[in-house]
Amino acid sequence: MVPRVVFGRGSFNQLSEILAPKRLNISAPFIFLVDDVFKGNSWLVSRIPLSYNDKIIFISAAQEPKTSQVDELVEGIILDSKELPSGIIGIGGGTLLDLAKAVSIMLTNKGETKDYQGWDLVKNKAIYHVGIPTISGTGAEVSRTTVLTGPTRKLGINSDYTPFDQVVLDSELTKDVPKDQWFYTGMDCYIHCIESLNGTFLNTFSQTYGDMALSLCKEIFLEDQLNEKEAQEKLMMASWHGGMSIVYSQVGVAHAMSYGLSYLLGTKHGIGNCIVFNHLEEFYPEGVAIFKKMKEKHNITLPQGICADLSDKELDIMIDVALSLVPLWENALGANWKKIITRKKLKSLYLKM
Ligand code: NAD
Ligand code: ZN
């Protein structure tokens, strides 16, 4: 679990105070990995506390993180500085948070990032790393994984060294998120709750966090009484609780299928989950009915027919990726999931999307 958290509007201003005691020496810089949507945004960038050799690296979130991208970043950081950094600070959405986690791990572990995709393969403690979300929903700020696309698969580095050492939750940083993206990433949180709460891995730890996140999502996406600030703060906490809920359970059908879309078509996580979830009435009847109400209330139109022109070979690739996520299917459908989810079934679902 994340051991240290600061919460509150404006808490980004505490960053200097938080980092100062963690500086190893003046040659060991803090490296800030920042979503390039903030490039030229003096409101945020001017408040990043830089001293000595500290550095900001702007990174585009247009594509989801890749293992090769992590390798390149790590090589650049090592070549650039005499000493290992004092810390890595990720500022952005799930994409930047996952990159910050992965870079901090790979700075202290030999070999290539792709070799660590899986469960508990990391040997050495990561460099001190801090996560500062600027959009709410993925739960990447709290989770034990960093989801990466590698040469052969999309799979996280799941380890005890992955979670952030410190998180700063300042909802003001989310104020300029475009509406569609707010909905897609927010629905990632909602879908985490539905998949966790309806899964066979559910336990009291996961349920209490999932119930809280679900009730916050309903308030934010279905009701009208919250003002903007309250809605931003509540979504930030929904993301946190949704993430905590899946730490001790698992996601389900929507995530398994959405990983397939993302691997083959590059569909991003939030929108990919929405495209899939929209067609999962048979698995999550109540959850999908509420999702449709939320979609309608916020005038969201999802892309359609994205798999219509795919060849059988391409469909097979997506089906392989989806089927490889065994724990997700076990959670969703129980030990006998293979009887319910056949290749034919997955193909017919993908073709509806
Ligand atoms: P994202 O980080 O990909 O960002 C989505 C878009 O929003 C980008 O265009 C980005 O530039 C923009 N953006 C972010 N903050 C903004 C702001 N304050 N103002 C304006 N624009 C802003 O989106 P995401 O949905 O948060 O993250 C998706 C990624 O998270 C995927 O790679 C997914 O695999 C990963 N993920 C990780 C976990 C985990 O536990 N590690 C869980 C779920 C998803
Ligand atoms: Zn997710």
Side-chain angles (χ1 to χ4, degrees):
M1 288 165 74
V2 174
R4 296 176 79 94
V5 193
V6 173
F7 174 85
R9 207 114 173 136
S11 58
F12 189 65
N13 288 341
Q14 283 174 255
L15 196 51
S16 164
E17 208 182 305
I18 289 168
L19 296 181
K22 300 292 177 183
R23 188 181 294 281
L24 300 171
N25 63 63
I26 58 171
S27 320
F30 283 110
I31 309 285
F32 298 83
L33 306 184
V34 182
D35 189 322
D36 74 358
V37 76
F38 297 114
K39 210 170 182 175
N41 176 333
S42 57
W43 175 79
L44 186 132
V45 175
S46 65
R47 290 156 72 204
I48 297 178
L50 297 175
S51 340
Y52 308 109
N53 302 325
D54 295 351
K55 195 172 161 186
I56 297 178
I57 303 177
F58 287 105
I59 300 175
S60 165
Q63 291 191 341
E64 299 199 338
K66 295 194 174 54
T67 55
S68 56
Q69 185 185 11
V70 175
D71 293 332
E72 277 165 36
L73 280 165
V74 168
E75 199 178 323
I77 291 169
I78 289 174
L79 290 176
D80 207 41
S81 163
K82 278 177 258 145
E83 301 212 17
L84 281 179
S86 294
I88 303 291
I89 298 98
I91 304 179
T95 299
L96 267 289
L97 298 180
D98 277 356
L99 280 171
K101 291 178 179 180
V103 165
S104 71
I105 289 171
M106 291 312 298
L107 279 163
T108 54
N109 285 277
K110 288 205 179 97
E112 291 180 72
T113 307
K114 66 176 172 52
D115 302 333
Y116 295 92
Q117 285 179 283
W119 278 268
D120 301 304
L121 302 171
V122 180
K123 294 186 181 60
N124 304 315
K125 191 173 185 299
I127 297 258
Y128 172 74
H129 50 303
V130 180
I132 309 181
T134 64
I135 178 169
S136 301
T138 65
E141 66 278 15
V142 74
S143 74
R144 187 181 180 271
T145 188
T146 156
V147 184
L148 302 170
T149 303
T152 56
R153 56 202 170 161
K154 180 174 172 181
L155 184 62
I157 303 181
N158 300 265
S159 84
D160 284 344
Y161 300 126
T162 308
F164 286 110
D165 297 296
Q166 166 86 53
V167 168
V168 176
L169 296 177
D170 179 349
S171 64
E172 196 177 16
L173 305 185
T174 68
K175 68 182 174 58
D176 298 322
V177 172
K179 185 174 170 201
D180 280 13
Q181 190 63 54
W182 163 81
F183 185 82
Y184 300 145
T185 301
M187 284 302 107
D188 190 21
C189 173
Y190 172 72
I191 296 168
H192 290 161
C193 300
I194 301 297
E195 294 187 323
S196 171
L197 291 170
N198 291 286
T200 61
F201 292 4
L202 190 66
N203 53 72
T204 311
F205 184 99
S206 289
Q207 185 171 7
T208 47
Y209 284 108
D211 282 343
M212 175 54 78
L214 182 60
S215 117
L216 288 167
C217 284
K218 286 181 180 163
E219 195 181 350
I220 296 158
F221 291 102
L222 288 177
E223 291 169 24
D224 293 314
Q225 73 268 31
L226 296 177
N227 67 37
E228 264 187 19
K229 284 184 191 169
E230 285 168 338
Q232 288 158 9
E233 294 214 323
K234 290 200 173 190
L235 189 52
M236 198 157 241
M237 286 321 294
S239 174
W240 182 273
H241 283 79
M244 285 299 289
S245 181
I246 47 175
V247 172
Y248 237 118
S249 62
Q250 225 346 320
V251 283
V253 182
H255 275 74
M257 294 195 69
S258 150
Y259 272 33
L261 288 182
S262 158
Y263 185 82
L264 185 80
L265 305 174
T267 313
K268 294 202 69 184
H269 188 74
I271 190 169
N273 282 349
C274 290
I275 293 171
V276 175
F277 196 67
N278 203 29
H279 294 283
L280 297 186
E281 289 95 344
E282 84 179 84
F283 302 102
Y284 307 109
E286 199 191 336
V288 174
I290 295 173
F291 169 77
K292 290 192 171 169
K293 274 191 198 148
M294 292 171 169
K295 191 164 63 91
E296 198 171 309
K297 180 168 171 65
H298 297 287
N299 292 318
I300 302 291
T301 317
L302 292 174
Q304 281 185 327
I306 62 167
C307 299
D309 297 327
L310 295 180
S311 65
D312 279 349
K313 205 174 154 198
E314 288 171 315
L315 282 164
D316 274 338
I317 294 173
M318 286 204 302
I319 293 168
D320 286 340
V321 171
L323 286 177
S324 73
L325 296 155
V326 172
L328 283 66
W329 294 110
E330 270 181 16
N331 175 49
L333 304 169
N336 292 326
W337 63 273
K338 284 185 183 156
K339 293 209 174 95
I340 307 165
I341 285 296
T342 58
R343 297 186 76 88
K344 199 170 150 211
K345 174 81 193 166
L346 280 181
K347 184 173 171 182
S348 79
L349 280 169
Y350 273 130
L351 286 175
K352 280 194 207 166
M353 291 164 193

